[in-house]
Amino acid sequence: MISLRHSIIFLFLGFVAIFIQGTLLKFISPTMISPNFLVMLVVYLGFERISVAGVILAFLLGFELDLCSAQLLGPWAGAFVIGFSVIAAMSQHVFVESPFAVSLAVAAANIITALVYAGMVYEFQPAGVISFWPLLLESVLSALVAPIVYVMLKAILPHQDKKRGGKFSSSLV
Amino acid sequence: MAALTSRAKIVGASLALFCFSLFLTAYSGRNPKIAQFGTAIVSEVLHPVQSVNQGIQSGVFSVIDHYFWLVNVKSENENLNSRLRVLEAENSKLKELYSENLRLKELLGVTEKTNLVGIAADVIGYSPSTWVRSLTLNKGALQGVARGMPVLVGSGVVGQISAAGATSSQVLLINDHTSGIDAIIQDSRTRGIVEGADDYLRFIYVSSDANVKIGDRVITSGMDTIFPKGMFIGVVSQANNRENSLFYDINVKPAVDFSRLETVLVVTTPVQVESFEEETILKDAKE
């Protein structure tokens, strides 16, 4: 379960991530590819908050990013739902406390969400929107930053229930 | 059993939300105003924070550039240094004003040369997504900015307004994959479409019979009713005429360095469409 307070904090963190990605880092160098903090939030949800509320939060995080793009509403929301599902399914096979696992999951989630996004916008942008090197660089950067962000998220949003992941978590294989 | 139900609920919710997002994508693709409305609201919410951030950052950069290097000077020069700091700060401010003056003059030059009327706006943010090339301006509908207005700088075309909030607006850059401009090669008057391709532009639908060479200047044709005619887009950087192909494979280097944009001109004058066919007939007749 995710409390309403945590959900609101999570959505606020989504806007903070958008602000950091779109303003702070891009002003230092607009051509620079920045780490994808939103994907880190999705990975955190997929590892730590496997529930229906987690899926909805992943959807809303993507929707926030869609709102900032002024193009289409929905592709990032859909991509983040898929990203969440894949990470949630993966979470039982990896030691989620390991920074390496977090990095790997963030890199994988970044690639998966980008590919799903490209697939979803294909009808409107058939030329393709994803380029290999920027995607790889973004994934590597995100993977490098992810363990720190993950620790911060765990500190900001501590688990309310003692059993990590709840009942569902232990059965999701 | 309960775990199984919970798992089914999550899978069901994921599927339902994914289908809903597919529907939303298709719906907003056919009704772009919906996405633009949402963006305008978010843009308005983020606008004050972005503006403050821009101010702080330019202050910080100014301090880094003009102040920090003085920290390690000898103590006997402290008095002189404090005076120097004040002067440096003033100098930095003057330099900033001078550079702003230059940028505005450049924009004024555009309006004078082209008789276009526009609004100067500052760039206060960029797209948070790597795959969307857009930026946020500090002027919106209250200042006269509306969707579809072209955005220029002295060196060339920047993009067009894709969503306008009350006090801020979004610009879709010409190097975004969804951007397309009706363009011509300045010398040969060969017509085609310039579309975005990340760091460069592609000039497509140019007949393989046309004469295109590296270094040719590509300008707007004015036929798309968005961009005024004759605005500089970029220079042909690569032109391949493949065998058995109907069209050229042309890359264009944008005239504008999108990473260095600070002040831009939003053109508010409606674009007059000039007959391209008429011009072509005249050109043929001259030849």
Side-chain angles (χ1 to χ4, degrees):
Chain A
M1 278 297 289
I2 304 174
S3 68
L4 184 66
R5 194 175 133 261
H6 278 190
S7 302
I8 292 167
I9 293 174
F10 223 91
L11 294 176
F12 175 72
L13 287 176
F15 275 115
V16 172
I18 286 170
F19 175 69
I20 293 172
Q21 281 170 225
T23 309
L24 277 177
L25 295 178
K26 293 282 167 76
F27 262 116
I28 296 167
S29 170
T31 50
M32 188 183 80
I33 289 165
S34 53
N36 197 335
F37 293 102
L38 284 163
V39 163
M40 292 175 212
L41 291 175
V42 173
V43 168
Y44 174 81
L45 282 174
F47 275 169
E48 305 282 336
R49 309 293 167 112
I50 307 170
S51 61
V52 173
V55 186
I56 296 169
L57 276 178
F59 174 86
L60 291 175
L61 283 174
F63 195 72
E64 282 180 2
L65 187 54
D66 284 324
L67 278 175
C68 293
S69 72
Q71 291 186 341
L72 295 166
L73 286 182
W76 279 118
F80 280 11
V81 167
I82 297 294
F84 170 87
S85 306
V86 173
I87 295 299
M90 242 174 70
S91 67
Q92 294 305 300
H93 303 285
V94 291
F95 179 54
V96 295
E97 303 298 327
S98 152
F100 181 69
V102 171
S103 292
L104 208 66
V106 166
N110 193 53
I111 292 168
I112 291 164
T113 51
L115 292 177
V116 175
Y117 171 80
M120 288 183 75
V121 299
Y122 183 78
E123 191 191 334
F124 304 96
Q125 296 163 23
V129 289
I130 306 292
S131 311
F132 177 74
W133 288 112
L135 176 60
L136 190 70
L137 188 60
E138 190 185 54
S139 304
V140 171
L141 281 174
S142 305
L144 287 174
V145 183
I148 304 161
V149 175
Y150 200 83
V151 170
M152 285 166 74
L153 283 173
K154 283 179 93 168
I156 296 168
L157 304 162
H159 262 293
Q160 286 157 331
D161 50 343
K162 295 288 177 200
K163 271 198 272 177
R164 235 196 91 257
K167 284 178 183 174
F168 174 71
S169 171
S170 58
S171 69
L172 187 87
V173 181
Chain B
M1 189 63 191
L4 204 66
T5 319
S6 176
R7 182 182 181 176
K9 272 185 192 168
I10 294 170
V11 173
S14 301
L15 274 174
L17 284 174
F18 183 67
C19 291
F20 180 58
S21 58
L22 277 175
F23 166 76
L24 260 181
T25 308
Y27 187 75
S28 60
R30 276 157 186 76
N31 303 279
K33 276 189 180 172
I34 298 200
Q36 283 141 19
F37 178 69
T39 304
I41 294 171
V42 173
S43 182
E44 282 306 302
V45 172
L46 289 176
H47 173 223
V49 192
Q50 286 177 323
S51 298
V52 169
N53 169 63
Q54 191 207 15
I56 292 170
Q57 281 193 343
S58 36
V60 168
F61 286 138
S62 168
V63 165
I64 288 168
D65 287 347
H66 302 101
Y67 180 82
F68 271 1
W69 62 275
L70 291 172
V71 167
N72 293 327
V73 294
K74 289 175 184 173
S75 56
E76 62 258 33
N77 289 328
E78 262 179 19
N79 288 335
L80 280 173
N81 274 337
S82 63
R83 177 74 187 134
L84 188 61
R85 283 169 204 159
V86 173
L87 289 172
E88 284 283 351
E90 278 176 12
N91 189 28
S92 163
K93 205 183 277 179
L94 286 172
K95 272 184 182 170
E96 194 53 37
L97 285 171
Y98 176 69
S99 114
E100 191 181 2
N101 189 18
L102 283 182
R103 290 198 302 271
L104 292 172
K105 259 188 185 167
E106 197 180 82
L107 295 180
L108 191 64
V110 176
T111 56
E112 278 175 356
K113 262 189 272 176
T114 55
N115 288 329
L116 295 168
V117 178
I119 303 160
D122 288 334
V123 177
I124 56 167
Y126 287 82
S127 164
S129 167
T130 309
W131 316 114
V132 177
R133 308 279 165 158
S134 68
L135 46 86
T136 311
L137 303 181
N138 68 342
K139 297 281 167 67
L142 288 178
Q143 288 83 26
V145 176
R147 191 180 161 251
M149 285 179 172
V151 180
L152 313 169
V153 285
S155 51
V157 179
V158 174
Q160 61 172 296
I161 302 291
S162 57
T167 56
S168 64
S169 49
Q170 291 272 328
V171 180
L172 183 74
L173 298 177
I174 57 169
N175 63 342
D176 186 90
H177 284 269
T178 55
S179 168
I181 308 174
D182 200 302
I184 51 172
I185 290 177
Q186 196 164 31
D187 293 336
S188 63
R189 315 307 280 179
T190 306
R191 194 175 160 195
I193 302 287
V194 169
E195 64 169 26
D198 288 339
D199 295 330
Y200 63 97
L201 309 168
R202 269 196 293 259
F203 195 24
I204 56 171
Y205 305 129
V206 174
S207 165
S208 54
D209 300 334
N211 178 25
V212 182
K213 51 190 187 301
I214 291 169
D216 277 350
R217 282 166 64 93
V218 181
I219 58 169
T220 53
S221 71
M223 294 298 289
D224 50 23
T225 70
I226 295 170
F227 293 95
K229 188 178 178 180
M231 302 314 299
F232 188 29
I233 296 173
V235 176
V236 173
S237 58
Q238 194 184 317
N240 297 325
N241 198 354
R242 280 178 292 179
E243 247 181 77
N244 303 323
S245 175
L246 286 174
F247 302 113
Y248 257 105
D249 190 9
I250 302 171
N251 288 351
V252 174
K253 187 175 179 283
V256 176
D257 182 354
F258 299 107
S259 64
R260 289 173 167 272
L261 290 173
E262 286 183 71
T263 311
V264 296
L265 181 77
V266 182
V267 178
T268 50
T269 326
V271 174
Q272 302 292 320
V273 184
E274 291 175 36
S275 170
F276 184 80
E277 277 68 30
E278 213 169 89
E279 188 188 307
T280 314
I281 292 164
L282 281 172
K283 186 190 148 210
D284 289 346
K286 272 183 199 168
E287 281 171 1

